[in-house]
Amino acid sequence: MNTQLQRMKRLLEVGRTLNTITELRDALLLILDAASELTNSLGASILDPEPDEQNLRFLVNTPELQMLQTLLIPIDESIAGLAFRNKETVVVNDIRNAPRHSRLADELSGIFTYSVVACPILFRGEALGILEVINKANGANYTGEDVMLLETLAAHAAIAIQNAHLQQQLEETREEAKRLDKMKTDFIAITSHELRTPLGLILGHSTFLRELVSEEYHEQLDTIIRNAMRLKEIIDSMTRLHNVQSGVASVRRRTVSVRKLILDSLAAVRKDAESKGVTLGFDIENSDLMIEGDAEKIGVSILNILQNGVAFTERGGYVFVTAEEVPGYVKIAIKDNGIGIPAKDLPHIFERFYQVESHLTRKHGGMGLGLSVAKMNIELMGGRIWAESTEGQGSTFTILLPLDADQARAADKVFIN
Ligand code: ADP
C-alpha cells in the first residue's frame, strides 16, 4: 500500500523525469504508469480527440490495455467523452449507474470495466485529451485523493503534449524558413541567368543605335541605356550572390591601396551626393596602407554601403569614411547621419532582399541586395562586416578586412559564426 508520502515522492519523481524526456510517447507512458500504480488501478490510458471531435482515440495505454489502441470512443456516448466535453473529472465507482458508458472497449479487451476515473487534460482552459484509469483493485472505490493525483498527472501530461505541439510547430516553421530560403536562392540563380542575355542585347543595340540616329533621338536612347544600366547593376548583384552561393566565386588577391579603393568608391557616388546635397568626407589614417585582397569585391562592398549612405541621408547630411590599421586588419567605417535603421530591422539588413521600408511605398530604388552582396564578399575574404544604427540619428557600417592571405586563413577559423 502506498503511503501519502510515497505517493508524493513518486509524483515529484515523475515531474523531474519528465524534464529529461524528449519523446512525447515516453513521457505519456511514464505518466500512465504512475497513474495506474498510484491509484491501484488495473490500467490507464491517454486519449485525444480526432480532428472532427466526434471520437476520442487512444494515444497511449499501459500494457494491460494495449489491445484498445485502435479503438475509437464516441465522445457523446462515453464517460471519457463526458469529461472531455465538460472539462471536469468524472468518477464512476459502479458502472451500472453510468448510462453513457460505451461497452465497445470491454468487448474488444475482454475486460469488464466496473469503475472509471476520466480526468481532462487541460491547457489554458482547453481540453487536449483525457487521462483515464479503470478498475481500482479489489472493487474498492476511487477516492478524492486518487482524483487529486490524477489531476496532477493530467497537468503534467498537458505540458508534455503542449511542448510536443510547440516542438512540431517549431520544426514546421524551420522547414518553411528553409523552403523560403531555397526559393530566394533559386530565384537569384534563375533571374541572374535568364535576364543577362536579353539585357546585354538591349544595351548593345541601343548603344549602337545611338551612334546611328540623329541627335534629336539621343535623349530617348540615353533614357533607355541609363535604365538598362540600372537593371544591369541589379543583375550583377544577383550574379555576385549566385556565384558565392554556388561556390563559383573565387578571391583574386592582389596588393591594393586602401586609399585608392575608398577614393574610387567615393568618386562613383559623388554625383548623386552632390545633387542630393549630402557631403562626402574621408579620413584615412595611413595613406600608404596596402591590403592583399580582391579589389573588385572590396570596391563593390564599399560602394554599396556608400550608395545606401547617400540614399538614406537627407539634404544637408554627411557620409564619412574612415580607415585605420588595427593588428592584422584594416578597419573601414562608413558613417552617416541619415534616417538610421530601426532596432528591430537591424539584425536583418544583411539578408537577401531585406528592405526596411516596404518595397511599394519606399522612395529609394534597390532590391535589398546591396548589403548581402557586401557581406558575402567581405566574408569570402575572411573579413567581417556589421552595422550600428540609431533610428533618426544615422548609421555606421564597419568592415574589418585581413591585411594579407595568412591573416585571412587564420580569420576563417576565428570568425565562423
Ligand atoms: P537596397 O539596395 O534596397 O538599399 P541593401 O541590402 O543595400 O538594399 O539595404 C537593405 C536595407 O537596409 C535598405 O533597404 C535600407 O532600408 C536599409 N539601409 C541600408 N543602409 C542604410 C543606411 N545607411 N541608412 C538607413 N537605412 C539603411
Side-chain angles (χ1 to χ4, degrees):
M1 192 65 179
N2 282 309
T3 66
Q4 204 173 4
L5 186 64
Q6 279 170 329
R7 288 173 154 200
M8 290 302 290
K9 272 191 182 158
R10 180 72 199 276
L11 270 183
L12 205 67
E13 193 188 298
V14 169
R16 284 204 188 113
T17 315
L18 277 176
N19 285 336
T20 64
I21 297 180
T22 49
E23 282 295 315
L24 177 62
R25 195 183 151 72
D26 295 343
L28 296 183
L29 275 172
L30 180 80
I31 290 169
L32 285 187
D33 276 345
S36 180
E37 197 187 309
L38 291 175
T39 59
N40 251 327
S41 299
L42 173 71
S45 309
I46 286 178
L47 302 95
D48 76 342
E50 294 239 281
D52 62 3
E53 297 223 342
Q54 295 299 312
N55 294 298
L56 293 168
R57 58 183 177 183
F58 286 87
L59 208 56
V60 272
N61 299 288
T62 50
E64 307 76 20
L65 302 180
Q66 194 50 41
M67 64 293 257
L68 299 176
Q69 195 66 38
T70 54
L71 188 70
L72 292 179
I73 301 287
I75 291 185
D76 291 325
E77 291 157 45
S78 62
I79 295 168
L82 185 67
F84 182 78
R85 285 265 192 260
N86 292 348
K87 299 176 190 166
E88 265 172 13
T89 302
V90 176
V91 182
V92 176
N93 277 318
D94 184 351
I95 208 82
R96 286 165 304 182
N97 300 333
R100 278 180 70 126
H101 179 52
S102 157
R103 281 278 154 215
L104 287 172
D106 286 9
E107 280 161 23
L108 190 73
S109 64
I111 295 171
F112 174 72
T113 306
Y114 52 85
S115 59
V116 180
V117 181
C119 181
I121 297 172
L122 298 172
F123 190 82
R124 298 206 178 120
E126 283 294 305
L128 304 179
I130 289 292
L131 167 63
E132 192 173 66
V133 287
I134 65 161
N135 292 1
K136 192 167 173 84
N138 307 322
N141 282 354
Y142 282 110
T143 62
E145 198 186 332
D146 289 331
V147 171
M148 206 185 68
L149 273 166
L150 289 171
E151 287 181 349
T152 308
L153 287 167
H156 281 310
I159 293 170
I161 292 172
Q162 195 56 22
N163 276 349
H165 282 173
L166 288 177
Q167 189 61 33
Q168 194 188 346
Q169 273 171 14
L170 191 70
E171 259 150 45
E172 282 168 12
T173 311
R174 270 204 205 116
E175 281 306 309
E176 181 62 7
K178 254 200 232 160
R179 198 180 65 79
L180 289 176
D181 201 61
K182 184 172 178 308
M183 276 173 71
K184 282 189 198 174
T185 308
D186 292 349
F187 177 76
I188 288 171
I190 294 165
T191 318
S192 64
H193 184 251
E194 292 299 323
L195 299 187
R196 178 160 295 279
T197 312
L199 186 64
L201 289 171
I202 293 173
L203 263 172
H205 284 273
S206 43
T207 314
F208 176 64
L209 266 181
R210 191 185 184 282
E211 300 303 314
L212 291 184
V213 297
S214 59
E215 214 166 292
E216 60 178 312
Y217 297 113
H218 278 188
E219 202 183 317
Q220 281 93 331
L221 279 160
D222 284 346
T223 307
I224 295 175
I225 293 168
R226 208 174 42 249
N227 284 289
M229 284 303 288
R230 176 75 198 105
L231 264 182
K232 186 175 172 307
E233 276 171 27
I234 293 172
I235 294 167
D236 283 348
S237 288
M238 291 204 187
T239 307
R240 287 189 188 100
L241 284 176
H242 172 63
N243 289 345
V244 178
Q245 279 169 184
S246 57
V248 176
S250 59
V251 176
R252 255 161 283 168
R253 286 187 195 282
R254 283 180 295 123
T255 305
V256 283
S257 151
V258 172
R259 182 184 164 84
K260 182 168 175 355
L261 282 171
I262 292 174
L263 291 188
D264 285 353
S265 304
L266 279 168
V269 291
R270 174 137 292 130
K271 238 170 90 186
D272 284 347
E274 271 169 15
S275 66
K276 241 198 115 173
V278 171
T279 309
L280 297 178
F282 64 91
D283 179 13
I284 300 167
E285 193 188 58
N286 167 5
S287 54
D288 298 327
L289 186 57
M290 303 299 266
I291 181 173
E292 258 181 47
D294 190 318
E296 198 261 346
K297 289 193 168 55
I298 304 173
V300 165
S301 309
I302 298 176
L303 181 62
N304 288 353
I305 298 173
L306 279 176
Q307 281 172 336
N308 284 339
V310 173
F312 298 105
T313 300
E314 310 286 351
R315 181 168 289 278
Y318 65 80
V319 179
F320 200 83
V321 188
T322 56
E324 59 179 314
E325 191 178 338
V326 293
Y329 294 87
V330 57
K331 184 172 164 186
I332 301 170
I334 299 151
K335 180 177 164 66
D336 66 61
N337 64 346
I339 62 170
I341 300 161
K344 71 170 179 29
D345 296 296
L346 200 55
H348 303 290
I349 55 171
F350 292 99
E351 290 167 13
R352 294 167 298 173
F353 300 112
Y354 194 87
Q355 295 182 320
V356 172
E357 240 188 282
S358 149
H359 194 78
L360 300 174
T361 56
R362 66 194 235 130
K363 297 184 236 88
H364 313 282
M367 294 267 290
L369 293 176
L371 289 179
S372 42
V373 169
K375 184 172 158 71
M376 283 197 181
N377 277 347
I378 300 298
E379 289 182 352
L380 208 58
M381 273 177 278
R384 266 175 79 193
I385 180 169
W386 67 94
E388 290 145 292
S389 186
T390 308
E391 201 176 353
Q393 290 185 24
S395 314
T396 303
F397 287 81
T398 308
I399 296 175
L400 202 59
L401 276 171
L403 278 174
D404 54 40
D406 285 345
Q407 185 66 40
R409 271 190 289 277
D412 254 2
K413 292 177 187 71
V414 179
F415 285 148
I416 288 171
N417 296 321

